[in-house]
Amino acid sequence: MKMRQFRRFFSGWRVRRMCGFSFLVVFFYCFVFQPFSRNQLTDTTFLGEDKCPACFGTDLCEEFENGKILFKYSSRLRILDIFNIKNVYFAIYEGMDVALKRLGHDSEFDQLDRWICETGKEGPRCHVPSVTYYSNFSRVIYEGLGPKTLTDMSDMVRCPSQRLIDRVLEKYSEHLGKEPEELSYQEKLHFLSILKFNPEPLMLQTFPITEGWPFPFYFGACGRLTVVQKCDKTLGSYHSASWRTRVDLALQIVKIAEDLTNNDADFALYLTDLTYDNFGVTSDGNVFVLDVENVIVVDKQKIKTDKPNGWESWYESYFDECLGLSSCLSFDVSALCSRLHADHNYYAVCRNLLSQYASETGKPGGLLHSPPETVVHDGKLQNLLEECARPKTPFGRFSAAKELIELLSTFLKER
């Protein structure tokens, strides 16, 4: 009796062991061996190329198909996608480290597809590539790509002007090696898909790093995957860096706020989503704005021409306590669109990144926390950060930002 029970137990144990071993073999093959043994970046479904023309473009598809863009490290492992909330991957392209960005969550792509199906008068699970041709995008193309048809399609065109639209179309066409009037119907659908879903590719092309704008270089797209310059680390990685390093980064950030507010192009680019993760730092220490989805672009020349009510009055942003929130930012779109002078960018960087009010979880005190005793004793830095974030004098941020640039530059000159 005991021998039979022992045999039965031993037999069951062997079955369980074999099942466990088989599971491990299948798991290893599907999620480890297979991802490393084939180039997934030639898969049109993974790229989202099968959704075109409801996609970001096809200018880099040939590069993907020819294996010129390859995953790096853990980006090959699809099982890790459950942790990849931002849908960002890392790869090598012509010897350069690049970031592959989907520009949204899977649920957001589902929303875009449903919108296309609904406006195309089809069911919620229609064939997106074909229905895109007679969705609301087709109406916009028929009526013309201008301020009236594109207004409010995204933050980039919250307050559009003809000059802005012309610039966006010119840069978009230039990237494709064409003139705006030479754009095909499909390329216009790509353009509208980007603008509605996430205008970041258009922002990076319209205000390129090659012209001095503080954004990553844009290489192109295939399907629903874009390729951009990779930054080594995010700003949050430097929260505990040396004082001198943090001063250098802070100085660059304030200068970015100034350059995006006042520049030769006469466009104000207002940052409305500021977190440490939305700023990147290259290996040589240069700061970039990584996420430009929520940037409001204002044409200052249009304001000067139209002269809306109160256009010359300086606009002062309202300070928000952000009680119970890790980070937040209040802003008035109508005011930003109609005022020639606004302190929003100064407020945004001081409130959310540099001052004591920066309240991101795990990073107390802002980027300029724990200054040396000599700086604390002098008190000037703390006063300027306070005035920049929560001014005591009317329109104090304008002068505080300029003085911050001078003071931080002085700190870097000191040994």
Side-chain angles (χ1 to χ4, degrees), residues 88-106:
V88 178
Y89 309 92
F90 300 109
I92 293 286
Y93 177 39
E94 294 185 342
M96 294 175 288
D97 286 338
V98 295
L100 311 182
K101 302 176 71 173
R102 290 201 190 281
L103 305 178
H105 304 295
D106 294 343

Side-chain angles (χ1 to χ4, degrees), residues 255-325:
K255 284 183 176 180
I256 286 174
E258 172 62 29
D259 293 342
L260 294 183
T261 304
N262 301 298
N263 51 70
D264 293 338
D266 232 7
F267 285 105
L269 279 60
Y270 294 116
L271 305 171
T272 64
D273 183 12
L274 277 87
T275 65
Y276 287 107
D277 285 344
N278 285 350
F279 283 77
V281 183
T282 63
S283 57
D284 52 1
N286 291 322
V287 178
F288 289 154
V289 184
L290 292 179
D291 189 337
V292 293
E293 175 184 1
N294 303 115
V295 176
I296 296 174
V297 182
V298 177
D299 184 351
K300 289 189 172 185
Q301 288 188 15
K302 186 177 189 300
I303 295 176
K304 295 172 190 175
T305 302
D306 294 351
K307 296 180 172 56
N309 186 39
W311 70 281
E312 287 185 298
S313 301
W314 289 21
Y315 174 69
E316 184 174 59
S317 299
Y318 169 75
F319 177 82
D320 199 325
E321 292 278 3
C322 291
L323 296 175
L325 299 173

Side-chain angles (χ1 to χ4, degrees), residues 87 102 104-111:
N87 270 337
R102 290 201 190 281
H105 304 295
D106 294 343
S107 59
E108 292 172 314
F109 280 113
D110 291 339
Q111 289 175 10

